[in-house]
Every structure is written in structure tokens, then in C-alpha cells.
């Protein structure tokens, strides 16, 4: 058996997403399954070291995960040739400087999004990495969610006919903290700390739209800060300076219109925290994180507007659940495995730092649209 041991510097994994999705459910899970299998006699085995600023948190995480190595000295592992990949899941404001340092050290780059605080900064990371001949990737996890993969299979089989529109509903109620503690960190609601739902979620919607439905050509966006005051982790009130809701419309190639509502101030009465409805000439589908429901042209009811009687059509009953035809792994783990294969075997990996820069670009254009109260075109980077 040939084993490719790949050292990974994992910086910023003491946060909720870094701990749960990237460390425990991705890298640790890959190690426990015996690595990433390339063939019957060849595997890739991750060899991670955890990096952070808080030693006690790192020690606790090592104990929880079974990963033995950690350090608070990032420079020491940057200079160690044992580690070929630098992974960054820090807060956005710290990401670019650390990634640049890793590029100078000759590390391949894999990181969370947003990849920068501006489009220029994010694009510079891509240019620096490619100029140095380093492989690079950005987390675009929603592409591997079971619900999104089921939508993709329907599209591959021509289920929709011509796609007309996409409507996304994302969000849930994040408690303010006055009585019930908030379930998101306070920096999310401070613009000065790179918070805001536009910056957070439009990066996601860019890669979902670009990869599944067509390149984004223009955006019209309205943001809002519906909750003006929240309570931080220390029990102190603070002013919410960042947007907590975003209402955006996108024009895509192929005359497809997409609308996404993203909100941390909405109560859920839908199938999941994220639902995507795709309407086409031949049929429609509604996908959540895991499940997907379809309605074909031949099964479409014919409503007649009459508000004076109870609705006679049970609309929810006219949809069929897409059966489980595949085995779906954790979305973050699936992309990690593809990136590791890209590093070792040079298999294709199109979700690079330039794709990350496109996400930052859409967020910036969304904010520009909100400020100008007008449609804004999206130029090619």
C-alpha cells in the first residue's frame, strides 16, 4: 500500500465551523476511514497540526478530536517542510495576511470564505498563489449538500426543461441575547469586525448560482439592520452596525432570474433552514439541505383565484420526494477529499481562490447596489 502523508496546517479551527465541519467531520473522519482512497493500493493520509492563539482551547480540541499536534506559533509550522497545505478558518479580517504568509512559505492554500475583505485583496491572493505555482482552493460546501446534488441530477436529466427562475430562502431567528443567549458570535453583527449577512451569504449564493444555474450578470440588493442592539458573549449590550437581513435579486446568463432572501431575523416555516425552488417549463423542484421534492408539468394543478371559499387544492400533496439514489457524505468532507486528490494526483479542482474572489465581488456589488438603490452589473474578474 502506497500512503501519501499530507501535512496540513489548520489555523482557526477552534471556532464552531472549523471544529465541527473541518476538523471533526472532515479531517478526523478521513483519518478514521483510513485516508482518501485513490486506488486499491494507494491512499492519501492527512497529518494535521492545529494552530490558534488560545493554547487552552487548542489543548481541549486536541483532546476532543484525538489530534496530537498543536501550536500557537504559526511561523514555526510555516517553515516546516512537513506541512504542504495551509488551511485558514479564521475570522475574515485575519485571513489575507496569513494566506500571504503561507504563499511566501510555499504552502498550497485551502481556506474558508470570504477570502478577503475586498475584491482586490481576494483577487491578489489568487494571483500570488498562481504566480508561485501553488495549488489553491476555497470552501464551497453547499455544492455537495444532498439537496443541491439532487437538483443537479434533475438538471442533468433535463427534468426542468428551460429553467425560468430560482428562489432561495435562507435564515432563522438569531436570539438577541437579552433573555435567551445568541447562537451566533457577536462579531457577525459589527461592520467594523467584517460582519454582516451580505458579506457572509452572497459569497455562498455566487458559487451556487455560477455552478448550477448560470453566471451572475447583475444584482439588485437591499440590506437591513432589523435588530439595532444585541448582547455579546460577555453579557454586555452593543450596537449592531452590520446588516442582519438581505433581499437580493440576480440576473443570470440564459435569462434566468434568481431571488434570495437571507435573514437572521426570520422564523422558519419551510422545509429547512435553506430552501431553493427551481421553476422550469417542464417542472419544478424544491430542495432543502438534504431532501428534494418535484412537481412535473403533468402533475401541476390548475388553481383558480377565489378567496371566498376554502382552498380546495392540497398544494403540498402534489409534490413527490426524490428518492435516495446515492450515498451522500458530509459536504465539507467531500470537498476536502477532492482537494487532497488535487494536491497528490493533480485532478481537476475548479473551486480556486479566483472563485473565492468572485464571491467577495458579489458581496461588494450587493452593498454597492444597496447604497446606490439601483441594479449593478457584475464584471468578469
Amino acid at each position: 500500500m502506497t500512503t501519501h502523508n499530507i501535512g496540513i496546517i489548520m489555523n482557526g479551527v477552534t471556532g464552531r465551523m472549523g471544529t465541527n465541519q473541518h476538523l471533526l467531520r472532515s479531517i478526523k473522519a478521513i483519518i478514521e476511514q483510513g485516508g482518501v482512497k485513490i486506488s486499491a493500493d494507494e491512499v492519501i493520509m492527512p497529518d494535521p497540526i492545529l494552530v490558534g492563539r488560545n493554547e487552552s482551547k487548542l489543548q481541549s480540541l486536541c483532546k476532543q478530536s484525538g489530534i496530537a499536534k498543536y501550536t500557537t506559533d504559526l511561523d514555526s509550522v510555516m517553515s516546516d517542510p512537513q506541512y504542504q497545505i495551509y488551511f485558514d478558518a479564521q475570522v475574515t479580517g485575519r485571513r489575507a495576511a496569513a494566506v500571504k504568509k503561507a504563499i511566501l512559505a510555499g504552502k498550497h492554500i485551502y481556506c474558508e470564505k470570504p477570502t478577503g475583505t475586498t475584491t482586490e485583496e481576494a483577487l491578489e491572493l489568487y494571483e500570488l498563489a498562481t504566480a508561485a505555482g501553488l495549488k489553491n482552493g476555497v470552501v464551497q460546501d453547499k455544492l455537495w449538500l444532498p439537496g443541491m446534488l439532487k437538483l443537479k441530477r434533475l438538471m442533468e436529466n433535463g427534468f426542468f426543461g428551460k429553467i425560468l427562475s430560482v428562489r432561495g430562502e435562507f435564515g432563522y431567528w438569531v436570539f438577541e441575547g437579552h433573555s435567551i443567549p445568541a447562537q451566533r458570535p457577536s462579531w457577525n453583527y459589527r461592520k467594523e469586525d467584517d460582519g454582516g449577512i451580505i458579506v457572509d451569504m452572497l459569497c455562498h449564493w455566487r458559487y451556487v448560482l455560477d455552478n448550477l444555474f448560470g453566471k451572475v450578470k447583475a444584482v439588485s440588493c437591499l440590506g437591513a439592520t432589523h435588530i439595532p442592539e444585541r448582547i455579546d458573549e460577555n453579557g454586555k449590550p452593543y450596537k449592531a452596525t452590520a446588516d442582519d437581513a438581505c433581499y437580493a435579486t440576480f440576473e443570470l446568463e440564459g435569462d434566468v432570474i434568481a431571488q434570495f432572501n437571507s435573514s437572521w431575523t426570520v422564523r422558519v416555516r419551510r422545509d429547512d433552514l435553506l430552501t431553493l425552488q427551481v421553476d422550469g417549463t417542464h417542472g419544478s423542484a424544491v430542495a432543502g439541505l438534504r431532501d428534494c421534492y418535484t412537481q412535473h408539468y403533468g402533475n401541476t394543478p390548475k388553481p383558480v383565484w377565489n378567496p371566498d371559499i376554502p382552498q380546495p387544492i392540497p398544494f403540498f400533496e402534489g409534490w413527490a420526494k426524490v428518492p435516495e439514489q446515492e450515498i451522500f457524505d458530509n459536504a465539507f468532507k467531500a470537498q476536502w477529499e477532492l482537494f487532497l486528490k488535487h494536491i497528490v494526483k493533480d485532478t481537476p479542482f475548479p473551486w480556486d481562490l479566483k472563485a473565492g474572489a468572485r464571491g467577495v465581488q458579489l458581496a461588494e456589488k450587493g452593498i454597492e447596489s444597496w447604497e446606490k438603490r439601483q441594479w449593478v452589473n457584475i464584471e468578469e474578474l
Side-chain angles (χ1 to χ4, degrees):
M1 175 69 72
T2 300
T3 301
H4 303 275
N5 291 302
I6 301 296
I8 306 173
I9 301 166
M10 302 192 73
N11 192 6
V13 289
T14 54
R16 178 178 57 87
M17 187 69 71
T19 292
N20 293 327
Q21 298 294 358
H22 290 291
L23 182 58
L24 299 180
R25 298 171 194 167
S26 294
I27 296 303
K28 182 174 185 278
I30 289 170
I31 293 170
E32 289 180 339
Q33 75 183 16
V36 180
K37 188 175 181 180
I38 299 173
S39 65
D41 56 1
E42 191 175 9
V43 297
I44 304 169
M45 182 60 71
D47 177 22
I49 184 168
L50 311 186
V51 181
R53 296 172 297 155
N54 188 316
E55 187 166 8
S56 64
K57 285 185 177 180
L58 288 169
Q59 289 174 340
S60 175
L61 187 54
C62 283
K63 185 177 180 180
Q64 179 186 2
S65 65
I67 303 300
K69 295 182 291 184
Y70 76 90
T71 182
T72 57
D73 184 1
L74 179 59
D75 290 338
S76 68
V77 285
M78 285 290 194
S79 60
D80 190 337
Q82 177 183 348
Y83 301 103
Q84 301 100 308
I85 297 173
Y86 172 75
F87 171 70
D88 194 295
Q90 299 182 96
V91 295
T92 306
R94 296 194 185 98
R95 183 160 298 132
V99 169
K100 285 180 183 179
K101 183 180 288 189
I103 291 170
L104 287 173
K107 309 299 182 187
H108 302 299
I109 305 299
Y110 189 53
C111 68
E112 265 290 355
K113 66 216 150 302
T115 53
T117 56
T118 66
T119 305
E120 290 73 21
E121 183 178 68
L123 192 58
E124 182 189 13
L125 297 181
Y126 167 74
E127 292 167 346
L128 289 171
T130 52
L134 299 170
K135 294 174 179 177
N136 55 90
V138 174
V139 179
Q140 304 203 327
D141 53 284
K142 287 179 175 53
L143 295 177
W144 288 272
L145 288 170
M148 299 303 112
L149 289 172
K150 290 171 184 175
L151 273 182
K152 185 178 179 181
R153 299 291 180 259
L154 291 169
M155 294 171 66
E156 290 170 346
N157 287 285
F159 172 82
F160 296 102
K162 174 177 169 41
I163 292 179
L164 307 173
S165 62
V166 181
R167 287 183 290 152
E169 288 285 344
F170 166 80
Y172 46 93
W173 188 269
V174 176
F175 286 92
E176 310 92 310
H178 293 95
S179 55
I180 298 173
Q183 67 268 45
R184 292 189 68 90
S186 59
W187 70 264
N188 284 169
Y189 303 93
R190 291 191 293 265
K191 188 176 182 179
E192 58 272 25
D193 292 331
D194 304 309
I197 201 165
I198 294 177
V199 170
D200 190 344
M201 297 312 303
L202 262 62
C203 293
H204 285 284
W205 306 150
R206 180 67 189 266
Y207 70 73
V208 169
L209 293 171
D210 278 359
N211 282 274
L212 292 180
F213 305 108
K215 289 184 178 179
V216 181
K217 294 169 55 180
V219 59
S220 172
C221 180
L222 176 67
T225 306
H226 290 307
I227 306 294
E229 181 186 270
R230 293 178 178 270
I231 306 298
D232 68 16
E233 292 80 359
N234 299 314
K236 295 181 179 180
Y238 67 95
K239 182 180 179 182
T241 53
D243 45 283
D244 55 22
C246 164
Y247 310 92
T249 303
F250 308 98
E251 182 186 6
L252 313 183
E253 285 184 346
D255 300 321
V256 178
I257 303 299
Q259 296 174 295
F260 275 78
N261 293 327
S262 310
S263 177
W264 290 319
T265 57
V266 65
R267 295 176 179 89
V268 180
R269 195 176 190 273
R270 44 189 144 87
D271 291 335
D272 215 328
L273 299 184
L274 168 65
T275 57
L276 223 62
Q277 177 161 338
V278 182
D279 290 303
T281 53
H282 294 168
S284 298
V286 177
L289 301 180
R290 303 196 63 83
D291 294 328
C292 183
Y293 295 85
T294 62
Q295 185 173 89
H296 197 263
Y297 188 92
N299 293 41
T300 303
K302 189 177 182 181
V304 176
W305 177 261
N306 186 352
D308 298 319
I309 62 171
Q311 177 53 248
I313 301 174
F315 289 110
F316 283 98
E317 294 178 12
W319 294 77
K321 186 177 180 180
V322 175
E324 301 297 321
Q325 299 169 320
E326 302 173 65
I327 296 173
F328 300 104
D329 211 341
N330 176 278
F332 291 84
K333 178 173 176 279
Q335 194 180 4
W336 261 110
E337 292 190 349
L338 290 173
F339 186 70
L340 290 171
K341 288 179 181 178
H342 177 58
I343 295 299
V344 174
K345 305 300 288 186
D346 200 30
T347 51
F349 194 89
W351 311 283
D352 57 13
L353 283 167
K354 191 171 186 179
R358 292 190 191 102
V360 178
Q361 179 195 34
L362 186 60
E364 282 199 325
K365 295 296 186 180
I367 292 170
E368 180 185 341
S369 170
W370 177 18
E371 291 173 345
K372 292 181 176 179
R373 304 182 72 82
Q374 66 181 38
W375 278 90
V376 174
N377 290 327
I378 310 297
E379 305 88 6
E380 281 287 337
L381 290 181

